[in-house]
Amino acid sequence: MPELPEVETVVTALAKALTGRAVTTLEQRGALRYPLGREAGKVLPGHVVTGVRRRAKYIVFAFDNCPHGLLAHLGMTGSFRIVPDLEPYEKHDRLAIGLDNGESLRFADMRRFGFVKLVRLDSGTGEPDEFARLGPEPLDRTFTGRELWRRCEGRTCPIKNHIMNQEVVVGVGNIYASEALFIAGISPERPAGELDRAEADALVAAIKKVLRAAIRSGGSTIRNYRTVDGREGGFQRVIRVYGRAGERCRRCGGTVASIRQGGRSTFYCPTCQR
């Protein structure tokens, strides 16, 4: 599933290509998780895209003089691409948005866990109601060791599960949680409430380091993820522990282990992480 760096990479490309472009048509081509219905086709054509931004793993499309926007999530296999309007549709294309420059924004999703839906944006915040309970962005200055330590206080769940909770901090998915905990030297099984302030500081610094490096690399392609222009991400080439169970730890030479946590595989070094 695409995580924050992958979504950030997609958003950067979409914002560059779409900002200032007017919507001419909107056509649902296949079944969507949330059917758009006729309203979107009536509301959006004629409006200009004023911005594309990310919040957590969501993508928000905003339009001029329009109280509505589009909210998208890539799910497991969702992807966007921009093609000439007359280019033939592909098998899993679900949505086509025509643009005033003769191009088309296509949303494809093989497994249909992703979505694109019409939402009303708050006039003050510019955000949909779906964001009301989201935690802080991990790359914001407001997300500090002190803030994470406060959010860990009294919590008995494993620290890896805790930092993947979107109400604690958004966008830290499975790959990057494993990588950040390895860099910080913290066992993924440690109860969140047992971290001291220094460990919280180290973990926040590691989360920021991993996410920034992944964004610079265009994200990670483990299975289906591609950028808007069809390229793979590059971060998987420098991964330290994720997916490396049974291989040698690149720090101590020990063996990378794997356990299941919350239905997901966790990778860590039992020697380096305490």
Side-chain angles (χ1 to χ4, degrees), residues 76-92:
M76 296 183 70
T77 58
S79 65
F80 284 101
R81 70 186 192 282
I82 299 171
V83 299
D85 189 55
L86 296 178
E87 181 166 310
Y89 291 98
E90 295 184 358
K91 180 179 179 180
H92 300 294

Side-chain angles (χ1 to χ4, degrees), residues 15 20 50-51 76-78 93 107 123 146 156 180 184 224 234 239 241 245 263 269:
T50 57
M76 296 183 70
T77 58
D93 284 345
F107 176 70
S123 58
R146 180 182 180 85
T156 58
N224 303 104
I239 277 175
V241 289
C269 175

Side-chain angles (χ1 to χ4, degrees), residues 64-79:
D64 70 320
N65 302 313
C66 184
H68 293 88
L70 288 175
L71 179 66
H73 194 290
L74 299 179
M76 296 183 70
T77 58
S79 65

Side-chain angles (χ1 to χ4, degrees), residues 15-262:
K16 183 177 180 180
L18 299 179
T19 302
R21 298 263 65 91
V23 174
T24 56
T25 59
L26 190 149
E27 180 183 8
Q28 183 174 325
R29 296 283 308 178
L32 285 167
R33 182 173 169 186
Y34 304 114
L36 278 172
R38 295 181 178 180
E39 184 180 11
K42 293 179 179 179
V43 168
L44 296 181
H47 288 283
V48 173
V49 179
T50 57
V52 184
R53 66 183 185 276
R54 179 193 59 75
R55 176 74 168 105
K57 300 178 188 179
Y58 296 97
I59 302 172
V60 180
F61 299 80
F63 302 87
D64 70 320
N65 302 313
C66 184
H68 293 88
L70 288 175
L71 179 66
H73 194 290
L74 299 179
M76 296 183 70
T77 58
S79 65
F80 284 101
R81 70 186 192 282
I82 299 171
V83 299
D85 189 55
L86 296 178
E87 181 166 310
Y89 291 98
E90 295 184 358
K91 180 179 179 180
H92 300 294
D93 284 345
R94 307 287 178 185
L95 178 67
I97 301 176
L99 305 170
D100 61 354
N101 63 349
E103 294 183 325
S104 177
L105 175 65
R106 308 277 174 87
F107 176 70
D109 191 5
M110 180 176 65
R111 299 188 65 181
R112 290 171 51 192
F113 289 112
F115 62 80
V116 180
K117 66 177 180 177
L118 187 72
V119 293
R120 192 168 187 89
L121 302 180
D122 184 272
S123 58
T125 65
E127 294 191 343
D129 292 341
E130 286 83 349
F131 292 177
R133 298 184 65 180
L134 291 179
E137 287 285 335
L139 296 178
D140 281 359
R141 291 184 177 181
T142 55
F143 182 60
T144 62
R146 180 182 180 85
E147 177 64 15
L148 177 60
W149 187 53
R150 183 184 70 79
R151 289 171 180 265
C152 287
E153 188 175 6
R155 299 301 298 268
T156 58
C157 66
I159 184 59
K160 179 170 177 279
N161 298 44
H162 193 59
I163 61 175
M164 290 180 63
N165 181 339
Q166 299 299 289
E167 294 184 20
V168 174
V169 56
V170 301
V172 184
N174 198 37
I175 297 171
Y176 304 109
S178 288
E179 293 293 296
L181 286 164
F182 174 76
I183 291 173
I186 297 170
S187 168
E189 298 182 286
R190 285 270 302 280
E194 288 187 3
L195 266 65
D196 61 30
R197 175 63 187 280
E199 289 172 320
D201 287 343
L203 182 52
V204 167
I207 289 170
K208 292 177 185 287
K209 178 179 179 178
V210 166
L211 293 178
R212 285 172 177 148
I215 290 169
R216 289 195 299 270
S217 299
S220 302
T221 296
I222 303 298
R223 291 186 180 89
N224 303 104
Y225 166 72
R226 296 290 187 276
T227 61
V228 172
D229 61 6
R231 292 180 298 170
E232 293 187 352
F235 188 73
Q236 67 275 8
R237 291 190 286 271
V238 296
I239 277 175
R240 297 166 175 85
V241 289
Y242 184 84
R244 299 188 62 244
E247 298 180 30
R248 294 183 63 182
C249 173
R250 291 171 176 164
R251 179 184 292 164
C252 74
T255 303
V256 175
S258 176
I259 56 174
R260 296 288 289 180
Q261 289 184 299

